[in-house]
Amino acid sequence: MESVTLNNGVEMPTLGLGTFKVKGYEVVRRALDAALGQGYRSFDTAAVYQNEADIGRALKELLPAHGLSRGEVFITSKLAPADQGAAEEGCRRSLAALDCGYLDLYLVHWPGRQGWRSEDPRNPECRRRSWEAMERLHRDGKLRAIGVSNYTGGHLRELLAHCRVRPAVLQVECHPRLAQSELRALCAESGLHLQAYSSLGSGRLLEEPVVRALAERLGRTPAQVLLRWALQQGVGVIPKSTDPRRIAQNARVFDFRLAEGDMRALSGLHSGTRYCWDPSTVV
Ligand code: A2P
């Protein structure tokens, strides 16, 4: 499994298993078992996914079975928007649910606070309080790295202006139809690793004709082509699947490269289309 060195020296695998909507102990256990068997060492969850306790329990059981220890896997979780401004409590709940002494990465999940309107002028101060609490948790060794998710360039610049611990990761929706070139440039110049969610367009890009034709010509699957497009630009990926065959397929993305012309053809699909949430209205 390939990895990237974050701006604080922490190593993070560039491929992880996404777990949004992966729910129920047996489903979680089966997905994690397949992923560990295929070499995945990174798992992405969030308080709002309501699967942290199942993931924690499954890892307790599966790590020894795969001959692994906690230190050999990378666990990411995220602060629930309902806990925005109260990150200490949110993080401690995630640690308890996952039954972990520390997290490898903890992200502010959303720039706003649940229950507040996007335009609520208290949002900036609230997410600032979250960040300051996360800085303390990082200093205390509870969080090896801290970062943000669903931040726009504006949110990120605001954070970079006041932070004492620089964010290590920005996780956003990113795929050929939403190429995020501006955020990629901002991350590159500010030393953040950009991690994509919804690399497959929540499954909808798998039928895209350019993607399909390319996959056919290369003898790969559409999912592998989409993941490769991200990885080849230094963008990390966390494809979600509960199907052991797809979990295996999504891990076989390090043994081929897309030619420059093919990368260009995929990037040419950019249309600004979002399949998930749009954070740009959050002040
Ligand atoms: P499933 O869990 O049934 O495999 P994204 O990561 O963009 O959100 O996409 C996730 C969606 O794509 C899920 O619905 C998942 O369904 C599906 N998926 C994941 N990997 C593959 C794959 N290799 N081939 C086809 N569909 C996939």
Side-chain angles (χ1 to χ4, degrees):
M1 198 54 69
E2 290 184 4
S3 65
V4 60
T5 306
L6 302 178
N7 61 11
N8 62 359
V10 168
E11 291 276 311
M12 169 166 136
T14 53
L15 171 81
L17 183 73
T19 68
F20 179 41
K21 293 187 188 157
V22 180
K23 279 177 91 170
Y25 180 66
E26 283 313 318
V27 175
V28 166
R29 189 189 183 286
R30 199 168 88 116
L32 265 54
D33 194 19
L36 287 165
Q38 294 298 327
Y40 288 71
R41 294 293 178 265
S42 174
F43 301 93
D44 180 275
T45 180
V48 293
Y49 300 173
Q50 295 184 341
N51 60 12
E52 291 173 305
D54 287 333
I55 289 176
R57 182 177 155 208
L59 285 175
K60 276 263 146 56
E61 210 178 296
L62 292 168
L63 288 180
H66 285 266
L68 294 165
S69 60
R70 165 69 183 93
E72 291 172 281
V73 292
F74 192 101
I75 303 177
T76 300
S77 193
K78 312 182 195 86
L79 176 69
D83 287 328
Q84 186 78 283
E88 204 107 41
E89 292 78 356
C91 177
R92 289 199 191 285
R93 270 199 296 278
S94 284
L95 285 167
L98 283 157
D99 197 9
C100 283
Y102 68 92
L103 293 174
D104 296 280
L105 176 64
Y106 193 60
L107 306 173
V108 178
H109 205 154
W110 183 255
R113 188 179 199 279
Q114 191 170 314
W116 290 2
R117 286 175 305 111
S118 296
E119 319 82 60
D120 195 309
R122 293 171 296 175
N123 277 320
E125 179 51 30
C126 196
R127 60 180 172 264
R128 181 184 178 130
R129 277 205 305 280
S130 294
W131 190 258
E132 288 169 355
M134 284 162 59
E135 290 179 326
R136 288 192 292 276
L137 290 157
H138 172 63
R139 196 191 48 219
D140 295 346
K142 297 288 180 201
L143 306 174
R144 294 179 70 222
I146 53 179
V148 291
S149 182
N150 294 301
Y151 272 34
T152 62
H155 300 134
L156 187 55
R157 281 192 205 90
E158 167 202 277
L159 171 60
L160 289 168
H162 72 69
C163 65
R164 277 174 292 182
V165 176
R166 285 175 82 75
V169 173
L170 170 66
Q171 187 188 106
V172 288
E173 178 178 349
C174 179
H175 44 68
R177 287 220 177 110
L178 187 70
Q180 300 284 23
S181 5
E182 278 171 35
L183 278 179
R184 283 216 310 268
L186 179 58
C187 283
E189 80 193 37
S190 312
L192 276 81
H193 173 64
L194 191 135
Q195 189 179 45
Y197 73 74
S198 208
S199 291
L200 315 181
S202 302
R204 273 170 286 185
L205 280 174
L206 299 167
E207 295 300 322
E208 209 295 321
V210 172
V211 177
R212 283 186 63 139
L214 187 50
E216 232 160 79
R217 174 156 60 75
L218 298 174
R220 293 284 169 164
T221 67
Q224 289 170 330
V225 165
L226 290 163
L227 296 171
R228 191 65 220 166
W229 173 84
L231 290 166
Q232 227 165 281
Q233 300 176 85
V235 171
V237 292
I238 44 167
K240 171 262 167 185
S241 181
T242 49
D243 173 12
R245 280 165 314 165
R246 289 174 176 171
I247 288 170
Q249 185 192 116
N250 295 346
R252 287 197 298 273
V253 284
F254 297 106
D255 59 343
F256 75 110
R257 280 189 72 78
L258 296 171
E260 245 175 63
D262 294 337
M263 288 292 285
R264 264 202 305 279
L266 289 168
S267 298
L269 294 173
H270 177 76
S271 55
T273 305
R274 282 180 195 275
Y275 297 104
C276 304
W277 307 268
D278 184 356
S280 62
T281 57
V282 180
V283 297

